[in-house]
């Protein structure tokens, strides 16, 4: 399920910022993808997939899968097969700016309330706490200077 993220003043979305924040690591010569973890033949494919992720160019995914299958890389073949099993959802996730961040945050909050109340009360009180806290916005992120963004 995909849910839209709020657009930032600069026109980008939070999910895109989170992914592109590390894009520089993928293009530097001394990358996080070291030859000890991936065969040399896999590195261009991993970088190309990272580029598809950061630029939201899901329309190029079929070309990436074709190029990956041309090489003898069983790990990437398995990954590509998994992508093809839910093709429509994968392409939508790689092309649109919608994400499920708000839902995931709310679910995380509900689980936290449930853990806090474990063994203390039954379902009616848990339900009231969850409903009361659902009307409040989640905590605002704080910058390094201590100011709320």
């Amino acid at each position: 399920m995909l849910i839209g993220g709020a657009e930032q003043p600069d026109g980008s979305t939070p999910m895109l910022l989170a992914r592109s924040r590390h894009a520089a690591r993928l293009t530097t010569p001394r990358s996080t993808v070291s030859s000890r973890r991936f065969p040399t033949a896999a590195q261009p494919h991993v970088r190309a997939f990272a580029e598809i992720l950061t630029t939201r160019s899901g329309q190029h995914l079929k070309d990436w899968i074709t190029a990956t299958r041309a090489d003898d890389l069983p790990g990437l073949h398995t990954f590509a097969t998994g992508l093809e099993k839910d093709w429509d959802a994968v392409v939508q996730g790689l092309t649109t700016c919608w994400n499920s961040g708000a839902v995931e945050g709310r679910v995380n909050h509900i689980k936290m309330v449930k853990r806090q109340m474990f063994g203390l009360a039954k379902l009616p009180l848990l339900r009231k706490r969850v409903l009361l806290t659902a009307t409040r916005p989640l905590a605002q992120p704080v910058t390094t200077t201590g100011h709320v963004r």
Side-chain angles (χ1 to χ4, degrees), residues 46-146:
V46 172
R47 291 177 199 271
F49 187 76
E51 182 70 22
I52 290 171
L53 279 176
T54 56
T55 60
R56 295 201 176 283
S57 52
Q59 65 273 15
H60 301 297
L61 189 60
K62 190 53 111 174
D63 299 332
W64 180 84
I65 289 176
T66 304
T68 302
R69 295 219 190 267
D71 290 338
D72 185 28
L73 300 165
L76 288 180
H77 292 198
T78 304
F79 179 66
T81 301
L83 292 176
E84 290 175 329
K85 285 183 180 178
D86 199 8
W87 184 254
D88 292 335
V90 170
V91 171
Q92 284 298 313
L94 291 175
T95 54
T96 62
C97 63
W98 299 83
N99 65 58
S100 60
V103 173
E104 293 296 332
R106 188 56 64 192
V107 168
N108 188 34
H109 178 74
I110 290 170
K111 287 181 178 183
M112 181 198 65
V113 170
K114 183 179 173 184
R115 281 191 301 271
Q116 287 175 343
M117 295 187 60
F118 181 76
L120 300 177
K122 301 221 183 277
L123 187 60
L125 183 59
L126 174 63
R127 181 177 181 274
K128 286 179 184 177
R129 277 199 66 193
V130 167
L131 291 175
L132 284 173
T133 59
T135 59
R136 293 186 313 190
L138 295 175
Q140 295 291 324
V142 178
T143 63
T144 56
T145 58

Side-chain angles (χ1 to χ4, degrees), residues 12-32:
S12 61
T13 61
M15 192 162 120
L16 183 59
L17 287 174
R19 286 188 176 155
S20 64
R21 179 177 55 197
H22 302 291
R25 283 195 210 162
L26 298 171
T27 57
T28 58
R30 185 122 175 115
S31 141
T32 57

